[in-house]
Amino acid sequence: MGHSLVFMPECHSTNDEASRLIQNSNVLEGTVVITNNQTAGRGQRGNTWISEAGKNLTFSILIKPSFLLMKDQFYLNVAFSLGLFDYLSEALDAEVKIKWPNDILVKGKKICGILIENYVQGHNIQHSIVGIGLNVNQNSHASVYATSMSLETGNDFKLEEVLPNLLVFLETRFLQLRSKNFKKLNDDYLASLYWIGEKHLFEKEDEIFEGEITGIDPFGKLRINVNGTTEYFEVKEIQFLK
Ligand code: BTN
């Protein structure tokens, strides 16, 4: 990953640029599209992703997981979340967790978001764009629930060093996926899952309820024990409260 790199001083969204690239040429798998200043970054659930120019990593990786059936697409979230988890656990020496489906938290605050967009042909995924926003040197954020590598360590990081180091970890997990090592990926994902095995409050359609995350189903739905009953939730259905 990253052997081919497309750098743009400024762009709206690296996911959009990567998508343009893939439609217009025969792009090498692992190509990274990266910008210094992303002006209209997109997040999950239609949210925006705001990042101070020159401070953070905002990039997209083009992959061609044609080995992956559409029904297994959640494993892309698993593999890339784990790659970030592995890298940050080593770089920060702090407690890192994966908040389902693919937010990366350090001590309960979000340090990284991932937006994966799949392009499907038949039952298989033709190519995917994995967009990653990692807060590296930004020291103030609009949300109190956000953090960065510099805030967590008191150090500034060189973006040109963070990227290749991170890509090694992402590639390792992607290769685990390519060799269909689903069990290892699943076990590691659950072991690093935020709130697993703990009682917490959640919200669905204005209703607040207490439950305990017990795992995920094969399609990536969140499994929660609510008053002794097992319930499954889609990403858009549920919010984590406290
Ligand atoms: C989220 O947590 O909501 C996902 C955020 C993903 C942000 C990254 S930054 C690089 C890439 N380009 C985008 O427009 N979004 C992703």
Side-chain angles (χ1 to χ4, degrees), residues 13-15 38 41-44 49 59 103 110 113-114 131-133:
S13 155
T14 56
N15 268 36
Q38 184 171 252
R42 294 189 289 108
Q44 292 167 44
W49 183 260
F59 67 102
D103 286 348
K110 184 160 168 175
I114 307 175
I132 296 175

Side-chain angles (χ1 to χ4, degrees), residues 9-10 35-41 49-58 133-142 148 150-151 156 159:
E10 182 175 296
T35 187
N36 230 353
N37 187 18
Q38 184 171 252
T39 54
W49 183 260
I50 297 167
S51 177
E52 211 179 308
K55 295 276 183 180
N56 304 310
L57 285 182
T58 44
L134 172 63
N135 296 337
V136 182
N137 292 322
Q138 185 170 331
N139 287 329
S140 70
H141 299 91
S148 64
S150 59
L151 280 174
D156 259 14
L159 296 179

Side-chain angles (χ1 to χ4, degrees), residues 29-145:
E29 177 162 39
T31 295
V32 167
V33 180
I34 186 161
T35 187
N36 230 353
N37 187 18
Q38 184 171 252
T39 54
R42 294 189 289 108
Q44 292 167 44
R45 309 178 195 215
N47 288 328
T48 52
W49 183 260
I50 297 167
S51 177
E52 211 179 308
K55 295 276 183 180
N56 304 310
L57 285 182
T58 44
F59 67 102
S60 304
I61 311 169
L62 275 154
I63 50 167
K64 301 181 181 177
S66 47
F67 58 88
L68 202 62
L69 291 171
M70 205 35 214
K71 70 173 184 60
D72 294 324
Q73 62 171 300
F74 186 73
Y75 278 95
L76 285 171
N77 285 292
V78 172
F80 281 92
S81 300
L82 280 171
L84 273 142
F85 170 87
D86 296 339
Y87 169 70
L88 289 168
S89 301
E90 194 186 88
L92 301 182
D93 193 25
E95 190 196 67
V96 182
K97 292 278 176 194
I98 300 172
K99 183 179 172 197
W100 174 87
N102 57 16
D103 286 348
I104 313 299
L105 309 185
V106 177
K107 295 187 223 138
K109 293 186 174 185
K110 184 160 168 175
I111 195 164
C112 177
I114 307 175
L115 178 68
I116 303 181
E117 295 177 307
N118 297 322
Y119 297 78
V120 179
Q121 203 164 60
H123 289 292
N124 288 71
I125 302 175
Q126 209 52 33
H127 62 260
S128 303
I129 293 169
V130 181
I132 296 175
L134 172 63
N135 296 337
V136 182
N137 292 322
Q138 185 170 331
N139 287 329
S140 70
H141 299 91
S143 163
V144 291
Y145 299 108

Side-chain angles (χ1 to χ4, degrees), residues 176-242:
Q176 264 173 18
L177 180 60
R178 191 140 84 185
S179 56
K180 305 240 168 97
N181 203 341
F182 292 122
K183 177 158 171 29
K184 166 90 180 131
L185 289 166
N186 211 48
D187 290 352
D188 289 353
Y189 183 81
L190 292 186
S192 42
L193 203 59
Y194 185 61
W195 284 6
I196 194 163
E198 301 169 13
K199 283 213 165 84
H200 285 280
L201 292 181
F202 300 87
E203 185 176 337
K204 182 186 171 179
E205 290 164 357
D206 295 332
E207 200 185 304
I208 294 175
F209 61 92
E210 192 184 60
E212 183 179 323
I213 298 176
T214 55
I216 51 166
D217 82 354
F219 306 106
K221 283 192 186 176
L222 188 65
R223 194 172 71 208
I224 303 187
N225 183 324
V226 185
N227 292 325
T229 310
T230 299
E231 296 192 21
Y232 295 88
F233 299 87
E234 302 262 14
V235 177
K236 286 182 191 131
E237 279 181 340
I238 185 170
Q239 265 189 297
F240 287 47
L241 293 186
K242 61 175 183 170

